[in-house]
Amino acid sequence: MNPNAPSFDSNWFRAALGQFATGVTVVTARDRDQHDEARLAGLTATSFNSLSLDPPLILWSLDNRAGSLPLFEASSHYAINVLSSEQVELARRFSSRTIFGSQRFDGLTWGEGLGGAPLLPGCCAWFECSNLSRHQAGDHLIFIGQVERCAFESREPLLFQAGGFKTVSDLSG
C-alpha cells in the first residue's frame, strides 16, 4: 500500500486502473437508417467481460458521450472482435478521434455476422450477440449481450496495460 496515495483523485484512480492488463476488442454493429441505408459503427473497447455461461452473456460499456452510442443502442446485434497481437493498427484505427463512423471500415475486408455486424478477420475470437439489455452506470452505458454464436482461433491476444498496447511476451519477459 502506498502511504503517499491521495484519499481519492480521478487521475490517480485512472492510473491505478491502468495497471490491470486487459484484452482489446473492437465492438462492431450495423443498423439501417430511415432511408434503409446501412450504417456501420465500430470502436475499440477494453471494457469487455464474460457475465454468464448459462445463458451465455457478455458485457461491455460505452461512454455516454460517444457519437456511436445511438447506433449501438438501436442495433439488434453487435459483434465483439477480440484482437490478436498483430492487430495494433486496427485497435488504433477504431479508437481514432479523427476517423469517424463508417469511415473506420474504409479499405477493410470483413465478414457479415448476425444482424449484419461486421466480423473482422485475424482476431483471436468473435462473439455475435443480440442486444439484450442496457444499464446506465455513471458516465457509461453498460451493454449486456446474449451470445448467439462464437468462434476462436489460436492466436496471441493483444493486451492493453499502463496506457499502451502489449503482448503476453511483453508482460512475461
Side-chain angles (χ1 to χ4, degrees):
M1 179 90 171
N2 182 348
N4 298 322
S7 60
F8 193 84
D9 173 273
S10 60
N11 289 329
W12 190 263
F13 178 57
R14 185 180 185 104
L17 287 173
Q19 299 311 302
F20 179 67
T22 184
V24 180
T25 69
V26 169
V27 184
T28 58
R30 184 181 197 163
D31 195 21
R32 300 204 177 274
D33 68 13
Q34 60 199 14
H35 305 293
D36 203 36
E37 289 185 34
R39 297 182 304 153
L40 299 173
L43 56 96
T44 301
T46 58
S47 63
F48 165 73
N49 212 328
S50 62
L51 181 59
S52 170
L53 293 175
D54 187 18
L57 302 174
I58 58 89
L59 64 82
W60 65 284
S61 65
L62 181 56
D63 190 304
N64 290 328
R65 297 168 296 173
S68 58
L69 184 65
L71 190 144
F72 279 107
E73 286 181 298
S75 295
S76 66
H77 290 78
Y78 49 80
I80 309 291
N81 299 270
V82 180
L83 300 187
S84 69
S85 61
E86 298 89 32
Q87 295 179 303
V88 172
E89 289 310 312
L90 199 59
R92 288 189 175 122
R93 173 192 283 235
F94 280 91
S95 64
S96 172
R97 296 188 188 274
T98 61
I99 305 172
F100 302 102
S102 294
Q103 292 176 337
R104 290 180 172 177
F105 294 88
D106 288 353
L108 290 181
T109 302
W110 51 272
E112 189 170 313
L114 297 173
L119 300 174
L120 305 175
C123 292
C124 295
W126 301 264
F127 298 90
E128 297 176 68
C129 306
S130 61
N131 200 349
L132 184 64
S133 64
R134 291 161 300 286
H135 304 276
Q136 188 62 53
D139 58 5
H140 278 63
L141 187 64
I142 299 169
F143 287 80
I144 296 178
Q146 171 105 30
V147 180
E148 295 182 6
R149 284 195 308 213
C150 64
F152 66 94
E153 294 181 3
S154 182
R155 296 177 183 266
E156 183 180 33
L158 180 61
L159 304 175
F160 192 79
Q161 194 258 339
F165 295 109
K166 309 273 188 316
T167 64
V168 171
S169 57
D170 290 336
L171 298 178
S172 62

